[in-house]
């Protein structure tokens, strides 16, 4: 027998649109090889979230918004902008988390999250745990290639209802992002 149209059932899983803010640490401790990790993260996210709202901000004791949520993602331009910022200054982890919270408030997507790429060596500004707790979800991509604060990274992820992923090189970024977005 030949099946007719009523015999065939197709199920498509509806894809929930994500709303992601990537906060990239560009403080003085993030020089050298760590810049590759940042570039790999920005490149991977820009490719994976092509149709989703993505914001990217670079931070040190201050912060620079490189891409606002809803803005057109131009991966190469975004990478150029990030790499043009010299690694400098102290690390205020609380400030980008507060900026990310305000940015997410402009969208009503169900799946909202912040990805924080940092060594978590917080040495300026208020305690970032409070800012992390105010986020819908915070996943920490902890760069462990040099000096880092594992305990603070874990506490931030816990307070932000997310997970911590250790990054030991630019090749760790894509698998960490896959794991982060599968949960």
């Amino acid at each position: 027998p030949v099946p007719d149209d009523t015999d065939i059932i197709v199920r498509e899983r509806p894809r929930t649109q994500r709303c992601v803010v990537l906060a990239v640490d560009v403080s003085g401790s993030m020089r050298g090889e760590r810049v590759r990790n940042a570039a790999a993260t920005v490149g991977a996210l820009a490719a994976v979230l092509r149709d989703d709202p993505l914001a990217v901000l670079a931070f040190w004791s201050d912060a620079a918004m490189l891409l606002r949520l809803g803005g057109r993602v131009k991966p190469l331009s975004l990478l150029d902008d990030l790499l043009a910022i010299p690694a400098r200054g102290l690390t205020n982890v609380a400030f980008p988390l507060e900026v990310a919270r305000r940015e997410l408030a402009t969208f009503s997507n169900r799946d909202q999250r912040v990805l924080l790429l940092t060594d978590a060596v917080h040495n300026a500004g208020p305690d970032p745990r409070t800012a992390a707790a105010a986020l819908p979800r915070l996943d920490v991509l902890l760069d462990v290639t040099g000096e880092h604060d594992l305990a603070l990274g874990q506490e931030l992820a816990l307070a932000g209802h997310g997970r911590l992923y250790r990054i030991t090189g630019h090749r760790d970024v894509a698998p960490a992002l896959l794991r982060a977005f599968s949960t």
Side-chain angles (χ1 to χ4, degrees), residues 60-125:
W60 55 103
S61 55
D62 200 356
M65 184 67 73
L66 302 179
L67 176 67
R68 296 199 82 86
L69 280 176
R72 187 162 174 257
V73 179
K74 299 176 187 171
L76 293 178
S77 176
L78 198 52
L79 283 172
D80 287 343
D81 291 346
L82 177 68
L83 296 174
I85 299 172
R88 64 174 185 255
L90 300 174
T91 309
N92 180 350
V93 177
F95 187 58
L97 299 180
E98 292 166 6
V99 172
R101 181 186 54 77
R102 287 193 302 268
E103 190 72 9
L104 287 172
T106 64
F107 276 72
S108 60
N109 298 46
R110 274 191 6 206
D111 187 357
Q112 293 188 339
R113 64 179 71 203
V114 176
L115 293 172
L116 176 68
L117 175 63
T118 185
D119 57 14
V121 178
H122 174 75
N123 52 23

Side-chain angles (χ1 to χ4, degrees), residues 20-41:
V20 178
V21 177
L22 171 63
V24 181
D25 187 344
V26 294
S27 65
S29 62
M30 295 295 286
R31 291 187 178 121
E33 179 68 23
R34 290 177 162 183
V35 172
R36 272 200 212 183
N37 298 340
T41 304

